Amino acid sequence: MLTALYVPANRPDRFAKAVASGPDLVVFDLEDAVPVADKVDARGWAVAWIAAFNGSTAIEVRVNAPGTPWIEDDLAALAAVPTVRIRLPKVESADDVRQVLQQVPSARITALIESPLGLERAFEIASADRRVVAVALGEADLASSLGVDGPEGLAWARGRIVSASRAAGLGAPMLSVYPHVKDDEGLRRTCLEGRALGFVGRTAIHPRQLPTIVECFTPSASQVAEAAALLAAVAKAGVADGGVIVLPDGRMVDPAMLGRAHELTTLMQEIESRQS
């Protein structure tokens, strides 16, 4: 997935529009975007809409945080939705994840890490259960807790999330939101910074951000061509995908190079399939 888009769950008029704007994943937000007075209605609207949805876009629900008065009702409502994806905020331990899975066994979990304690336990959280499909940073809360300014201060935290995801056998994570909706250059710059750290996409708060995110995280034509050529050369040489390979033209290819080539070509195939 390259793109995810938050939609406030108290705005049912935006649900279909969010899907139609073309993200890979739509995240219905029951937490930060919804005032306390709207929590009950928002939950009902979101669950009813999701239960009736029959499209191909992936759907996820950000529930309220562990320990809040609303999470139990959120989970009870979502337990009736088959194979729901839950975005769990404020995760600080593997037990936070396991408790949710006890209540909603069919769920798939994106664990949102937003505190120094959660960050220190990132790998423990990422590997808590096979039903954890992703970890992600909640950067605003984390930056406030750490006392850092701007994306530069979070570079090491971002790197830790990438490492924890990969070490746990998950795919590369997605970047957190960029809050300045009309700052296209800032969005592009920070997307490219995230890509250099190993992120594979980004969550958006407005549909206008989606094209820039796709542009920044799409492999370049030269990268894809180089990867495809390498895989073709290995196939032509008739050698197995394992160990160090020396091609007839003298190039030495190791498993890491082949793995990266497979990743790039697979990602490009997924992008092209989505665009067709």
Side-chain angles (χ1 to χ4, degrees):
M1 292 185 182
L2 291 187
T3 56
L5 177 65
Y6 275 115
V7 58
N10 62 335
R11 292 297 306 270
D13 56 309
R14 296 183 182 177
F15 294 174
K17 293 177 182 177
V19 171
S21 66
D24 299 309
L25 174 70
V26 172
V27 182
F28 287 75
D29 190 2
L30 296 175
E31 193 205 16
D32 287 350
V34 179
V36 171
D38 292 345
K39 295 284 189 187
V40 173
D41 286 340
R43 182 188 307 120
W45 289 326
V47 171
W49 196 93
I50 293 167
F53 179 64
N54 61 0
S56 58
T57 303
I59 302 294
E60 190 168 82
V61 181
R62 180 163 74 170
V63 297
N64 287 281
T68 64
W70 310 286
I71 186 171
E72 296 300 325
D73 288 337
D74 290 346
L75 297 179
L78 291 172
V81 181
T83 62
V84 68
R85 287 180 59 122
I86 292 175
R87 179 165 293 223
L88 182 63
K90 313 292 192 296
V91 178
E92 293 193 320
S93 71
D95 283 343
D96 288 341
V97 172
R98 295 183 186 121
Q99 287 172 12
V100 169
L101 289 170
Q102 286 179 354
Q103 295 173 261
V104 193
S106 65
R108 298 294 180 266
I109 303 291
T110 294
L112 200 56
I113 293 173
E114 305 182 70
S115 70
L117 180 57
L119 187 62
E120 288 300 311
R121 294 172 172 172
F123 173 72
E124 172 191 326
I125 291 165
S127 57
D129 189 278
R130 60 179 177 78
R131 289 165 288 183
V132 176
V133 295
V135 292
L137 282 179
E139 293 191 353
D141 282 8
L142 182 60
S144 177
S145 296
L146 294 173
V148 300
D149 297 318
E152 298 83 3
L154 288 173
W156 67 275
R158 290 175 172 178
R160 188 173 186 126
I161 290 298
V162 172
S163 179
S165 297
R166 294 295 199 166
L170 305 178
M174 301 178 75
L175 272 175
S176 181
V177 300
Y178 187 71
H180 308 293
V181 172
K182 296 183 179 181
D183 180 10
D184 295 336
E185 287 308 309
L187 174 62
R188 179 174 289 103
R189 183 187 69 255
T190 54
C191 282
L192 294 175
E193 291 169 353
R195 177 177 170 176
L197 288 171
F199 287 87
V200 77
R202 186 165 211 161
T203 305
I205 56 173
H206 193 283
R208 78 183 305 275
Q209 296 177 314
L210 298 176
T212 299
I213 295 171
V214 172
E215 173 194 334
C216 290
F217 286 98
T218 297
S220 68
S222 61
Q223 285 180 307
V224 174
E226 183 177 344
L230 177 61
L231 295 176
V234 170
K236 185 177 180 180
V239 291
D241 258 17
V244 175
I245 301 165
V246 180
L247 297 175
D249 62 7
R251 282 183 293 169
M252 187 175 71
V253 181
D254 65 20
M257 295 168 64
L258 284 175
R260 182 59 176 159
H262 281 300
E263 281 188 354
L264 284 171
T265 54
T266 299
L267 176 58
M268 199 64 204
Q269 288 167 1
E270 291 174 353
I271 293 170
E272 290 173 345
S273 174
R274 183 187 62 180
Q275 293 173 344
S276 63

mmCIF file of all heavy atoms in Angstrom, residues 183-230:
data_model
loop_
_atom_site.group_PDB
_atom_site.id
_atom_site.type_symbol
_atom_site.label_atom_id
_atom_site.label_comp_id
_atom_site.label_asym_id
_atom_site.label_seq_id
_atom_site.Cartn_x
_atom_site.Cartn_y
_atom_site.Cartn_z
ATOM 1 N N ASP A 183 0.535 22.605 1.592
ATOM 2 C CA ASP A 183 1.980 22.726 1.398
ATOM 3 C C ASP A 183 2.490 21.531 0.585
ATOM 4 O O ASP A 183 3.047 20.577 1.127
ATOM 5 C CB ASP A 183 2.677 22.797 2.763
ATOM 6 C CG ASP A 183 4.196 22.931 2.644
ATOM 7 O OD1 ASP A 183 4.691 23.168 1.526
ATOM 8 O OD2 ASP A 183 4.877 22.775 3.678
ATOM 9 N N ASP A 184 2.323 21.613 -0.724
ATOM 10 C CA ASP A 184 2.695 20.492 -1.588
ATOM 11 C C ASP A 184 4.195 20.231 -1.576
ATOM 12 O O ASP A 184 4.633 19.076 -1.605
ATOM 13 C CB ASP A 184 2.230 20.752 -3.026
ATOM 14 C CG ASP A 184 0.722 20.813 -3.141
ATOM 15 O OD1 ASP A 184 0.039 20.230 -2.278
ATOM 16 O OD2 ASP A 184 0.220 21.444 -4.090
ATOM 17 N N GLU A 185 4.991 21.286 -1.535
ATOM 18 C CA GLU A 185 6.441 21.094 -1.556
ATOM 19 C C GLU A 185 6.936 20.454 -0.263
ATOM 20 O O GLU A 185 7.828 19.600 -0.274
ATOM 21 C CB GLU A 185 7.149 22.422 -1.808
ATOM 22 C CG GLU A 185 7.022 22.902 -3.248
ATOM 23 C CD GLU A 185 7.438 21.830 -4.248
ATOM 24 O OE1 GLU A 185 8.543 21.271 -4.098
ATOM 25 O OE2 GLU A 185 6.663 21.539 -5.181
ATOM 26 N N GLY A 186 6.356 20.878 0.857
ATOM 27 C CA GLY A 186 6.724 20.258 2.128
ATOM 28 C C GLY A 186 6.320 18.800 2.179
ATOM 29 O O GLY A 186 7.064 17.949 2.683
ATOM 30 N N LEU A 187 5.149 18.500 1.643
ATOM 31 C CA LEU A 187 4.701 17.112 1.576
ATOM 32 C C LEU A 187 5.661 16.282 0.735
ATOM 33 O O LEU A 187 6.087 15.187 1.143
ATOM 34 C CB LEU A 187 3.289 17.048 0.989
ATOM 35 C CG LEU A 187 2.727 15.647 0.730
ATOM 36 C CD1 LEU A 187 2.605 14.859 2.029
ATOM 37 C CD2 LEU A 187 1.378 15.741 0.014
ATOM 38 N N ARG A 188 6.028 16.817 -0.419
ATOM 39 C CA ARG A 188 6.936 16.085 -1.313
ATOM 40 C C ARG A 188 8.298 15.874 -0.652
ATOM 41 O O ARG A 188 8.856 14.777 -0.693
ATOM 42 C CB ARG A 188 7.091 16.848 -2.633
ATOM 43 C CG ARG A 188 8.046 16.178 -3.624
ATOM 44 C CD ARG A 188 8.065 16.887 -4.955
ATOM 45 N NE ARG A 188 6.827 16.672 -5.685
ATOM 46 C CZ ARG A 188 5.832 17.544 -5.804
ATOM 47 N NH1 ARG A 188 5.949 18.747 -5.201
ATOM 48 N NH2 ARG A 188 4.741 17.265 -6.467
ATOM 49 N N ARG A 189 8.823 16.913 -0.044
ATOM 50 C CA ARG A 189 10.140 16.808 0.584
ATOM 51 C C ARG A 189 10.148 15.756 1.679
ATOM 52 O O ARG A 189 11.052 14.910 1.747
ATOM 53 C CB ARG A 189 10.545 18.161 1.157
ATOM 54 C CG ARG A 189 11.948 18.163 1.780
ATOM 55 C CD ARG A 189 12.251 19.462 2.496
ATOM 56 N NE ARG A 189 11.458 19.650 3.711
ATOM 57 C CZ ARG A 189 10.440 20.468 3.820
ATOM 58 N NH1 ARG A 189 10.069 21.231 2.808
ATOM 59 N NH2 ARG A 189 9.766 20.571 4.971
ATOM 60 N N THR A 190 9.133 15.774 2.526
ATOM 61 C CA THR A 190 9.125 14.833 3.642
ATOM 62 C C THR A 190 8.800 13.409 3.189
ATOM 63 O O THR A 190 9.244 12.444 3.814
ATOM 64 C CB THR A 190 8.140 15.286 4.731
ATOM 65 O OG1 THR A 190 6.839 15.504 4.154
ATOM 66 C CG2 THR A 190 8.611 16.586 5.375
ATOM 67 N N CYS A 191 8.036 13.276 2.119
ATOM 68 C CA CYS A 191 7.812 11.936 1.553
ATOM 69 C C CYS A 191 9.128 11.338 1.063
ATOM 70 O O CYS A 191 9.424 10.160 1.315
ATOM 71 C CB CYS A 191 6.820 11.994 0.399
ATOM 72 S SG CYS A 191 5.082 12.125 0.885
ATOM 73 N N LEU A 192 9.912 12.137 0.363
ATOM 74 C CA LEU A 192 11.191 11.642 -0.149
ATOM 75 C C LEU A 192 12.156 11.322 0.987
ATOM 76 O O LEU A 192 12.930 10.355 0.911
ATOM 77 C CB LEU A 192 11.799 12.658 -1.114
ATOM 78 C CG LEU A 192 11.006 12.878 -2.415
ATOM 79 C CD1 LEU A 192 11.633 13.998 -3.237
ATOM 80 C CD2 LEU A 192 10.932 11.589 -3.228
ATOM 81 N N GLU A 193 12.114 12.126 2.060
ATOM 82 C CA GLU A 193 12.930 11.814 3.239
ATOM 83 C C GLU A 193 12.514 10.476 3.842
ATOM 84 O O GLU A 193 13.358 9.652 4.229
ATOM 85 C CB GLU A 193 12.796 12.930 4.274
ATOM 86 C CG GLU A 193 13.440 14.246 3.866
ATOM 87 C CD GLU A 193 13.067 15.398 4.781
ATOM 88 O OE1 GLU A 193 12.196 15.212 5.666
ATOM 89 O OE2 GLU A 193 13.632 16.499 4.609
ATOM 90 N N GLY A 194 11.219 10.251 3.911
ATOM 91 C CA GLY A 194 10.724 8.989 4.453
ATOM 92 C C GLY A 194 11.064 7.808 3.570
ATOM 93 O O GLY A 194 11.426 6.730 4.056
ATOM 94 N N ARG A 195 10.960 8.013 2.277
ATOM 95 C CA ARG A 195 11.322 6.945 1.351
ATOM 96 C C ARG A 195 12.789 6.548 1.532
ATOM 97 O O ARG A 195 13.127 5.355 1.501
ATOM 98 C CB ARG A 195 11.065 7.398 -0.086
ATOM 99 C CG ARG A 195 11.472 6.385 -1.141
ATOM 100 C CD ARG A 195 11.116 6.871 -2.524
ATOM 101 N NE ARG A 195 11.698 6.018 -3.546
ATOM 102 C CZ ARG A 195 11.484 6.162 -4.850
ATOM 103 N NH1 ARG A 195 10.694 7.129 -5.283
ATOM 104 N NH2 ARG A 195 12.059 5.341 -5.709
ATOM 105 N N ALA A 196 13.662 7.536 1.736
ATOM 106 C CA ALA A 196 15.084 7.249 1.928
ATOM 107 C C ALA A 196 15.328 6.446 3.202
ATOM 108 O O ALA A 196 16.323 5.710 3.297
ATOM 109 C CB ALA A 196 15.876 8.556 1.978
ATOM 110 N N LEU A 197 14.423 6.557 4.178
ATOM 111 C CA LEU A 197 14.555 5.812 5.427
ATOM 112 C C LEU A 197 13.963 4.412 5.347
ATOM 113 O O LEU A 197 14.138 3.618 6.277
ATOM 114 C CB LEU A 197 13.874 6.573 6.569
ATOM 115 C CG LEU A 197 14.574 7.841 7.057
ATOM 116 C CD1 LEU A 197 13.674 8.595 8.031
ATOM 117 C CD2 LEU A 197 15.901 7.500 7.730
ATOM 118 N N GLY A 198 13.242 4.118 4.257
ATOM 119 C CA GLY A 198 12.676 2.785 4.100
ATOM 120 C C GLY A 198 11.169 2.696 4.192
ATOM 121 O O GLY A 198 10.606 1.605 4.161
ATOM 122 N N PHE A 199 10.484 3.840 4.305
ATOM 123 C CA PHE A 199 9.019 3.822 4.296
ATOM 124 C C PHE A 199 8.519 3.579 2.868
ATOM 125 O O PHE A 199 9.204 3.900 1.896
ATOM 126 C CB PHE A 199 8.460 5.136 4.833
ATOM 127 C CG PHE A 199 8.620 5.303 6.319
ATOM 128 C CD1 PHE A 199 9.784 5.840 6.861
ATOM 129 C CD2 PHE A 199 7.616 4.904 7.192
ATOM 130 C CE1 PHE A 199 9.946 5.988 8.228
ATOM 131 C CE2 PHE A 199 7.767 5.050 8.569
ATOM 132 C CZ PHE A 199 8.932 5.593 9.089
ATOM 133 N N VAL A 200 7.289 3.051 2.776
ATOM 134 C CA VAL A 200 6.793 2.665 1.460
ATOM 135 C C VAL A 200 5.539 3.443 1.046
ATOM 136 O O VAL A 200 5.003 3.245 -0.025
ATOM 137 C CB VAL A 200 6.513 1.149 1.427
ATOM 138 C CG1 VAL A 200 5.204 0.821 2.135
ATOM 139 C CG2 VAL A 200 6.521 0.597 0.002
ATOM 140 N N GLY A 201 5.087 4.349 1.873
ATOM 141 C CA GLY A 201 3.900 5.124 1.543
ATOM 142 C C GLY A 201 3.589 6.086 2.667
ATOM 143 O O GLY A 201 4.391 6.274 3.578
ATOM 144 N N ARG A 202 2.396 6.695 2.602
ATOM 145 C CA ARG A 202 2.068 7.701 3.623
ATOM 146 C C ARG A 202 0.565 7.773 3.829
ATOM 147 O O ARG A 202 -0.231 7.555 2.905
ATOM 148 C CB ARG A 202 2.589 9.065 3.184
ATOM 149 C CG ARG A 202 2.427 10.138 4.255
ATOM 150 C CD ARG A 202 3.239 11.361 3.993
ATOM 151 N NE ARG A 202 3.626 11.977 5.256
ATOM 152 C CZ ARG A 202 4.609 12.832 5.418
ATOM 153 N NH1 ARG A 202 5.356 13.184 4.370
ATOM 154 N NH2 ARG A 202 4.887 13.343 6.594
ATOM 155 N N THR A 203 0.185 8.119 5.059
ATOM 156 C CA THR A 203 -1.207 8.375 5.382
ATOM 157 C C THR A 203 -1.516 9.851 5.158
ATOM 158 O O THR A 203 -0.713 10.715 5.517
ATOM 159 C CB THR A 203 -1.497 8.001 6.846
ATOM 160 O OG1 THR A 203 -1.112 6.645 7.064
ATOM 161 C CG2 THR A 203 -2.967 8.146 7.164
ATOM 162 N N ALA A 204 -2.672 10.126 4.561
ATOM 163 C CA ALA A 204 -3.060 11.493 4.230
ATOM 164 C C ALA A 204 -4.272 11.914 5.062
ATOM 165 O O ALA A 204 -5.026 11.077 5.555
ATOM 166 C CB ALA A 204 -3.398 11.599 2.747
ATOM 167 N N ILE A 205 -4.438 13.229 5.177
ATOM 168 C CA ILE A 205 -5.622 13.758 5.851
ATOM 169 C C ILE A 205 -6.553 14.466 4.873
ATOM 170 O O ILE A 205 -7.625 14.933 5.266
ATOM 171 C CB ILE A 205 -5.250 14.711 6.996
ATOM 172 C CG1 ILE A 205 -4.368 15.863 6.511
ATOM 173 C CG2 ILE A 205 -4.576 13.942 8.125
ATOM 174 C CD1 ILE A 205 -4.113 16.923 7.566
ATOM 175 N N HIS A 206 -6.139 14.537 3.594
ATOM 176 C CA HIS A 206 -6.983 15.158 2.578
ATOM 177 C C HIS A 206 -6.684 14.497 1.233
ATOM 178 O O HIS A 206 -5.516 14.203 0.930
ATOM 179 C CB HIS A 206 -6.691 16.665 2.488
ATOM 180 C CG HIS A 206 -7.724 17.428 1.709
ATOM 181 N ND1 HIS A 206 -7.768 17.419 0.333
ATOM 182 C CD2 HIS A 206 -8.753 18.212 2.121
ATOM 183 C CE1 HIS A 206 -8.769 18.172 -0.083
ATOM 184 N NE2 HIS A 206 -9.393 18.670 0.991
ATOM 185 N N PRO A 207 -7.712 14.274 0.418
ATOM 186 C CA PRO A 207 -7.490 13.617 -0.873
ATOM 187 C C PRO A 207 -6.492 14.337 -1.777
ATOM 188 O O PRO A 207 -5.823 13.689 -2.594
ATOM 189 C CB PRO A 207 -8.895 13.599 -1.509
ATOM 190 C CG PRO A 207 -9.837 13.624 -0.351
ATOM 191 C CD PRO A 207 -9.152 14.480 0.694
ATOM 192 N N ARG A 208 -6.357 15.669 -1.653
ATOM 193 C CA ARG A 208 -5.444 16.389 -2.535
ATOM 194 C C ARG A 208 -3.985 15.989 -2.303
ATOM 195 O O ARG A 208 -3.123 16.249 -3.138
ATOM 196 C CB ARG A 208 -5.619 17.908 -2.385
ATOM 197 C CG ARG A 208 -4.975 18.505 -1.152
ATOM 198 C CD ARG A 208 -5.243 20.003 -1.025
ATOM 199 N NE ARG A 208 -4.853 20.756 -2.184
ATOM 200 C CZ ARG A 208 -3.622 21.213 -2.419
ATOM 201 N NH1 ARG A 208 -2.652 20.951 -1.567
ATOM 202 N NH2 ARG A 208 -3.365 21.902 -3.507
ATOM 203 N N GLN A 209 -3.697 15.351 -1.168
ATOM 204 C CA GLN A 209 -2.333 14.919 -0.890
ATOM 205 C C GLN A 209 -1.975 13.597 -1.581
ATOM 206 O O GLN A 209 -0.789 13.267 -1.710
ATOM 207 C CB GLN A 209 -2.129 14.757 0.623
ATOM 208 C CG GLN A 209 -2.263 16.050 1.416
ATOM 209 C CD GLN A 209 -2.114 15.820 2.907
ATOM 210 O OE1 GLN A 209 -2.703 14.903 3.468
ATOM 211 N NE2 GLN A 209 -1.316 16.662 3.559
ATOM 212 N N LEU A 210 -2.961 12.848 -2.016
ATOM 213 C CA LEU A 210 -2.711 11.497 -2.515
ATOM 214 C C LEU A 210 -1.823 11.452 -3.764
ATOM 215 O O LEU A 210 -0.898 10.630 -3.819
ATOM 216 C CB LEU A 210 -4.041 10.778 -2.779
ATOM 217 C CG LEU A 210 -4.941 10.570 -1.553
ATOM 218 C CD1 LEU A 210 -6.262 9.931 -1.962
ATOM 219 C CD2 LEU A 210 -4.240 9.715 -0.507
ATOM 220 N N PRO A 211 -2.047 12.288 -4.784
ATOM 221 C CA PRO A 211 -1.191 12.195 -5.972
ATOM 222 C C PRO A 211 0.285 12.429 -5.678
ATOM 223 O O PRO A 211 1.153 11.745 -6.243
ATOM 224 C CB PRO A 211 -1.755 13.282 -6.898
ATOM 225 C CG PRO A 211 -3.170 13.450 -6.478
ATOM 226 C CD PRO A 211 -3.155 13.256 -4.991
ATOM 227 N N THR A 212 0.593 13.375 -4.791
ATOM 228 C CA THR A 212 1.996 13.635 -4.450
ATOM 229 C C THR A 212 2.611 12.438 -3.737
ATOM 230 O O THR A 212 3.765 12.075 -3.990
ATOM 231 C CB THR A 212 2.106 14.893 -3.572
ATOM 232 O OG1 THR A 212 1.614 16.018 -4.297
ATOM 233 C CG2 THR A 212 3.546 15.152 -3.163
ATOM 234 N N ILE A 213 1.849 11.831 -2.844
ATOM 235 C CA ILE A 213 2.356 10.654 -2.139
ATOM 236 C C ILE A 213 2.657 9.521 -3.111
ATOM 237 O O ILE A 213 3.722 8.893 -3.054
ATOM 238 C CB ILE A 213 1.344 10.200 -1.062
ATOM 239 C CG1 ILE A 213 1.217 11.267 0.026
ATOM 240 C CG2 ILE A 213 1.763 8.869 -0.447
ATOM 241 C CD1 ILE A 213 0.081 11.025 1.020
ATOM 242 N N VAL A 214 1.739 9.266 -4.024
ATOM 243 C CA VAL A 214 1.961 8.210 -5.025
ATOM 244 C C VAL A 214 3.193 8.521 -5.863
ATOM 245 O O VAL A 214 4.042 7.648 -6.109
ATOM 246 C CB VAL A 214 0.724 8.044 -5.924
ATOM 247 C CG1 VAL A 214 1.024 7.101 -7.077
ATOM 248 C CG2 VAL A 214 -0.452 7.516 -5.114
ATOM 249 N N GLU A 215 3.309 9.768 -6.296
ATOM 250 C CA GLU A 215 4.458 10.169 -7.112
ATOM 251 C C GLU A 215 5.774 9.911 -6.375
ATOM 252 O O GLU A 215 6.731 9.381 -6.948
ATOM 253 C CB GLU A 215 4.338 11.655 -7.453
ATOM 254 C CG GLU A 215 5.547 12.243 -8.161
ATOM 255 C CD GLU A 215 5.529 13.758 -8.170
ATOM 256 O OE1 GLU A 215 4.430 14.348 -8.086
ATOM 257 O OE2 GLU A 215 6.612 14.363 -8.246
ATOM 258 N N CYS A 216 5.828 10.289 -5.104
ATOM 259 C CA CYS A 216 7.083 10.191 -4.355
ATOM 260 C C CYS A 216 7.481 8.754 -4.036
ATOM 261 O O CYS A 216 8.674 8.439 -3.968
ATOM 262 C CB CYS A 216 6.975 10.976 -3.056
ATOM 263 S SG CYS A 216 6.921 12.776 -3.290
ATOM 264 N N PHE A 217 6.510 7.885 -3.830
ATOM 265 C CA PHE A 217 6.835 6.526 -3.431
ATOM 266 C C PHE A 217 6.802 5.521 -4.584
ATOM 267 O O PHE A 217 7.064 4.338 -4.370
ATOM 268 C CB PHE A 217 5.905 6.074 -2.306
ATOM 269 C CG PHE A 217 6.235 6.704 -0.981
ATOM 270 C CD1 PHE A 217 5.538 7.821 -0.538
ATOM 271 C CD2 PHE A 217 7.251 6.204 -0.189
ATOM 272 C CE1 PHE A 217 5.842 8.416 0.681
ATOM 273 C CE2 PHE A 217 7.568 6.787 1.031
ATOM 274 C CZ PHE A 217 6.862 7.894 1.470
ATOM 275 N N THR A 218 6.500 5.990 -5.777
ATOM 276 C CA THR A 218 6.561 5.113 -6.943
ATOM 277 C C THR A 218 8.014 4.980 -7.396
ATOM 278 O O THR A 218 8.693 5.986 -7.583
ATOM 279 C CB THR A 218 5.717 5.678 -8.099
ATOM 280 O OG1 THR A 218 4.348 5.727 -7.700
ATOM 281 C CG2 THR A 218 5.833 4.789 -9.339
ATOM 282 N N PRO A 219 8.516 3.752 -7.549
ATOM 283 C CA PRO A 219 9.900 3.591 -8.026
ATOM 284 C C PRO A 219 10.089 4.267 -9.376
ATOM 285 O O PRO A 219 9.177 4.298 -10.204
ATOM 286 C CB PRO A 219 10.051 2.072 -8.150
ATOM 287 C CG PRO A 219 9.001 1.501 -7.253
ATOM 288 C CD PRO A 219 7.861 2.472 -7.288
ATOM 289 N N SER A 220 11.272 4.826 -9.590
ATOM 290 C CA SER A 220 11.555 5.477 -10.875
ATOM 291 C C SER A 220 11.647 4.437 -11.980
ATOM 292 O O SER A 220 11.883 3.250 -11.739
ATOM 293 C CB SER A 220 12.864 6.258 -10.788
ATOM 294 O OG SER A 220 13.960 5.362 -10.658
ATOM 295 N N ALA A 221 11.470 4.908 -13.208
ATOM 296 C CA ALA A 221 11.547 4.003 -14.360
ATOM 297 C C ALA A 221 12.908 3.324 -14.432
ATOM 298 O O ALA A 221 13.017 2.136 -14.761
ATOM 299 C CB ALA A 221 11.266 4.783 -15.639
ATOM 300 N N SER A 222 13.960 4.066 -14.108
ATOM 301 C CA SER A 222 15.302 3.485 -14.175
ATOM 302 C C SER A 222 15.495 2.415 -13.099
ATOM 303 O O SER A 222 16.140 1.386 -13.344
ATOM 304 C CB SER A 222 16.364 4.578 -14.028
ATOM 305 O OG SER A 222 16.247 5.236 -12.778
ATOM 306 N N GLN A 223 14.935 2.642 -11.908
ATOM 307 C CA GLN A 223 15.033 1.633 -10.849
ATOM 308 C C GLN A 223 14.329 0.343 -11.246
ATOM 309 O O GLN A 223 14.860 -0.763 -11.065
ATOM 310 C CB GLN A 223 14.409 2.161 -9.559
ATOM 311 C CG GLN A 223 15.230 3.173 -8.798
ATOM 312 C CD GLN A 223 14.514 3.633 -7.547
ATOM 313 O OE1 GLN A 223 13.355 4.066 -7.592
ATOM 314 N NE2 GLN A 223 15.185 3.540 -6.415
ATOM 315 N N VAL A 224 13.129 0.485 -11.800
ATOM 316 C CA VAL A 224 12.358 -0.692 -12.196
ATOM 317 C C VAL A 224 13.048 -1.426 -13.341
ATOM 318 O O VAL A 224 13.141 -2.662 -13.343
ATOM 319 C CB VAL A 224 10.926 -0.288 -12.598
ATOM 320 C CG1 VAL A 224 10.152 -1.488 -13.145
ATOM 321 C CG2 VAL A 224 10.193 0.315 -11.408
ATOM 322 N N ALA A 225 13.563 -0.661 -14.312
ATOM 323 C CA ALA A 225 14.245 -1.284 -15.443
ATOM 324 C C ALA A 225 15.495 -2.036 -14.994
ATOM 325 O O ALA A 225 15.770 -3.156 -15.461
ATOM 326 C CB ALA A 225 14.608 -0.218 -16.473
ATOM 327 N N GLU A 226 16.246 -1.434 -14.084
ATOM 328 C CA GLU A 226 17.463 -2.083 -13.580
ATOM 329 C C GLU A 226 17.127 -3.366 -12.820
ATOM 330 O O GLU A 226 17.800 -4.397 -12.983
ATOM 331 C CB GLU A 226 18.221 -1.124 -12.676
ATOM 332 C CG GLU A 226 19.540 -1.661 -12.162
ATOM 333 C CD GLU A 226 20.297 -0.650 -11.316
ATOM 334 O OE1 GLU A 226 19.958 0.549 -11.378
ATOM 335 O OE2 GLU A 226 21.221 -1.066 -10.598
ATOM 336 N N ALA A 227 16.065 -3.316 -11.997
ATOM 337 C CA ALA A 227 15.655 -4.496 -11.243
ATOM 338 C C ALA A 227 15.184 -5.603 -12.172
ATOM 339 O O ALA A 227 15.546 -6.781 -12.000
ATOM 340 C CB ALA A 227 14.554 -4.127 -10.253
ATOM 341 N N ALA A 228 14.367 -5.229 -13.164
ATOM 342 C CA ALA A 228 13.860 -6.235 -14.104
ATOM 343 C C ALA A 228 14.996 -6.860 -14.906
ATOM 344 O O ALA A 228 15.007 -8.075 -15.159
ATOM 345 C CB ALA A 228 12.833 -5.598 -15.037
ATOM 346 N N ALA A 229 15.965 -6.044 -15.304
ATOM 347 C CA ALA A 229 17.099 -6.555 -16.067
ATOM 348 C C ALA A 229 17.930 -7.526 -15.236
ATOM 349 O O ALA A 229 18.404 -8.556 -15.747
ATOM 350 C CB ALA A 229 17.965 -5.399 -16.557
ATOM 351 N N LEU A 230 18.101 -7.224 -13.964
ATOM 352 C CA LEU A 230 18.865 -8.107 -13.087
ATOM 353 C C LEU A 230 18.161 -9.455 -12.932
ATOM 354 O O LEU A 230 18.789 -10.520 -13.054
ATOM 355 C CB LEU A 230 19.050 -7.451 -11.719
ATOM 356 C CG LEU A 230 19.775 -8.284 -10.658
ATOM 357 C CD1 LEU A 230 21.185 -8.621 -11.114
ATOM 358 C CD2 LEU A 230 19.804 -7.554 -9.326
#
